[in-house]
Amino acid sequence: MVKEIYVKSILNKHRKRDEWFLDDYSLNPYKLCQFNCIYCYIRGSKYGESMDKELAVKINAPTLLEKELFKRAKRKEYGFIALSSSIEPWQPVEEKYRITRSCLEVISKFRFPVHCLTKSELILRDLDLFEEIDKKAVLPPDLRAISRGVLITFSLSTLDEQIARIFEPGAPKPKKRLETLQKVKEAGFCAGIAYIPVLPFISDSEEQLEEMVKTARELNADYVFVGALTLHGEGKKLYFKVIERHFPELLSEYKKLFKAYNQPSRNYQRKLEEKAKRLCEMHRVKYRIT
Ligand code: SF4
């Protein structure tokens, strides 16, 4: 049963633009997510294993967004809106509620650019609105070179269907996401892959990174970038339980890697990024959006 909630605000303005996703704003039309990925960082200290039980639709999101974008547009404070930064905007419940679609209508009306982050094929339903936004969005002056009002990024943590079933039990299969990316590209949009999170010792080998970059190349994706796994609170406990069950031989490595921080060491992250950059150069895929 999905709860219907009324929220006080809907548009988050960032103090600083996200350097990878390029968003100045973010918008989450739902609270939590039905895809239920084990590594999802919103499980954090609060939700742990009960994330799907707290799912709620922010029923007044489009009305609030209308008011907020009216003010921002008047002051010409244009910037990419990330849809979404911490939930899946095209999760199954969106088929019924269409709240994400209503928010896109408002975004189109006020001519804001949008960066869609998704794992879902339901995004194809909204290509008509993306066409409008792509044509008429006003970009912030320092991002005009992008010359696109819509960016669509598909997130993947592996291309292996079995591994995906363990870590992303409710999400569309990687193959389905890639087919959706292909359709979005064929429709003429700027789209790429966020290989986030790369799963240490499970999907971070040179071969796996290269396979992802080559796949992006074959699908004519505009960019690929990688990001390390973040684990904290209840989410970390759940992830470790899954490792213990499915990859017991990796448990001690994980404990070492996440001993001091919520993320792998800087050295691990530096090496991951270097590998990804090198492979992108080798296969002539852009390593980031700009
Ligand atoms: S799709 Fe994204 S928001 Fe939803 S559970 Fe997975 S990681 Fe979390």
Side-chain angles (χ1 to χ4, degrees):
M1 173 80 179
V2 185
K3 282 186 215 145
E4 296 181 2
I5 57 171
Y6 287 80
V7 287
K8 291 202 175 103
S9 67
I10 194 68
L11 189 70
N12 313 303
K13 168 86 172 94
H14 310 320
R15 246 178 285 156
K16 200 168 155 262
R17 175 180 300 152
D18 187 285
E19 59 171 308
W20 287 97
F21 293 93
L22 306 180
D23 51 306
D24 288 301
Y25 302 93
S26 61
L27 162 64
N28 297 299
Y30 294 89
K31 181 182 163 204
L32 302 179
C33 179
Q34 294 173 292
F35 284 170
N36 233 344
C37 306
I38 300 299
Y39 53 72
C40 183
Y41 77 90
I42 49 170
R43 291 180 186 280
S45 55
K46 198 168 159 199
Y47 299 107
E49 292 186 48
S50 64
M51 189 159 77
D52 46 338
K53 294 184 198 115
E54 302 277 338
L55 178 71
V57 49
K58 298 179 184 173
I59 211 82
N60 60 334
T63 315
L64 283 181
L65 186 64
E66 171 112 26
K67 284 186 196 151
E68 294 182 27
L69 288 188
F70 173 76
K71 279 191 274 171
R72 299 273 176 191
K74 216 168 156 191
R75 300 201 290 257
K76 301 204 180 329
E77 292 171 351
Y78 292 101
F80 274 94
I81 301 174
L83 190 66
S84 291
S85 57
S86 53
I87 54 102
E88 166 62 61
W90 289 273
Q91 54 185 296
V93 70
E94 164 65 11
E95 267 189 73
K96 174 180 171 198
Y97 282 98
R98 298 170 74 89
I99 294 288
T100 297
R101 184 167 172 91
S102 301
C103 289
L104 282 170
E105 282 164 354
V106 176
I107 288 170
S108 176
K109 177 173 167 187
F110 291 102
R111 304 179 65 197
F112 274 69
V114 67
H115 187 168
C116 305
L117 308 162
T118 189
K119 287 185 169 89
S120 173
E121 67 266 34
L122 184 58
I123 195 168
L124 297 174
R125 180 200 62 189
D126 295 330
L127 293 188
D128 57 332
L129 281 172
F130 295 146
E131 228 166 88
E132 271 179 31
I133 298 171
D134 210 21
K135 264 190 231 144
K136 63 185 195 185
V138 181
L139 294 171
D142 54 335
L143 288 182
R144 292 220 172 115
I146 294 182
S147 67
R148 303 302 301 251
V150 176
L151 305 170
I152 303 176
T153 300
F154 290 85
S155 81
L156 289 133
S157 66
T158 177
L159 289 174
D160 183 307
E161 303 287 340
Q162 268 180 328
I163 296 174
R165 221 172 301 139
I166 295 170
F167 290 96
E168 302 164 341
K173 292 176 179 175
K175 192 165 171 271
K176 194 79 198 157
R177 280 174 244 172
L178 295 173
E179 283 168 13
T180 311
L181 166 61
Q182 189 170 19
K183 286 182 187 158
V184 160
K185 278 300 304 166
E186 283 166 4
F189 293 99
C190 180
I193 292 176
Y195 192 174
I196 301 177
V198 176
L199 308 173
F201 319 117
I202 295 170
S203 67
D204 65 349
S205 70
E206 173 95 13
E207 295 71 34
Q208 286 161 319
L209 283 165
E210 184 161 20
E211 197 190 349
M212 187 67 84
V213 174
K214 277 162 84 176
T215 303
R217 173 85 195 154
E218 278 156 25
L219 295 176
N220 201 20
D222 293 284
Y223 51 86
V224 176
F225 48 92
V226 300
L229 176 67
T230 303
L231 292 174
H232 59 103
E234 292 301 310
K236 185 173 181 178
K237 281 189 208 157
L238 175 64
Y239 189 93
F240 275 35
K241 253 201 230 173
V242 170
I243 292 292
E244 198 170 4
R245 180 154 173 228
H246 295 276
F247 304 91
E249 70 287 2
L250 296 181
L251 192 60
S252 61
E253 294 296 327
Y254 263 91
K255 285 191 173 159
K256 264 189 255 159
L257 200 63
F258 287 90
K259 193 175 168 200
Y261 302 105
N262 295 334
Q263 284 200 315
S265 64
R266 274 173 194 254
N267 192 32
Y268 174 95
Q269 294 192 52
R270 187 181 44 76
K271 282 190 185 153
L272 179 68
E273 185 160 359
E274 278 171 9
K275 256 192 281 183
K277 268 188 188 164
R278 179 169 43 75
L279 290 165
C280 280
E281 261 172 39
M282 196 197 294
H283 294 285
R284 299 187 314 282
V285 180
K286 261 204 299 177
Y287 180 58
R288 51 192 304 158
I289 301 170
T290 51

